[in-house]
Amino acid sequence: MEISQTAVAGSLESSDIMVTVKPGANGITIDLESSVEKQFGRRIRQVIEETLKNLGVNDVAVQAVDKGALDCTIQARTIAAVHRAAGVDQYDWKEIDTWNV
């Protein structure tokens, strides 16, 4: 999937994450801001990166502001932001449900 514009999903509310994606070059870059980065930063980055790879996104710049989101929320926000940035309005939820993130 190709990112053609900047898009955002999520909020800055407690237990949520705001994910902003924009076209990037040379792979996936993730800029993470989180109050729990020392404990969970590696896992948050892993969930975002695996979700992007499952969506077939190769060149993207991600900015994530985490407020204690669970893995499923991180994945959902990343999926929503990518689909918005790619102009996709139809989702194949059955395929997404089979991912092992």
Side-chain angles (χ1 to χ4, degrees), residues 27-87:
I28 297 170
T29 60
I30 301 172
D31 178 27
L32 175 63
E33 178 184 325
S34 175
S35 57
V36 294
E37 187 166 1
K38 287 185 181 182
Q39 297 94 338
F40 301 108
R42 187 170 19 148
R43 178 62 182 162
I44 294 167
R45 284 183 178 85
Q46 179 184 14
V47 171
I48 293 171
E49 187 170 345
E50 287 178 7
T51 302
L52 292 169
K53 287 180 180 179
N54 285 333
L55 291 168
V57 177
N58 299 314
D59 296 318
V60 63
V62 178
Q63 180 182 12
V65 181
D66 173 59
K67 298 294 182 179
L70 298 174
D71 287 1
C72 57
T73 304
I74 298 165
Q75 183 181 33
R77 299 305 192 202
T78 304
I79 291 168
V82 167
H83 279 90
R84 289 175 183 168

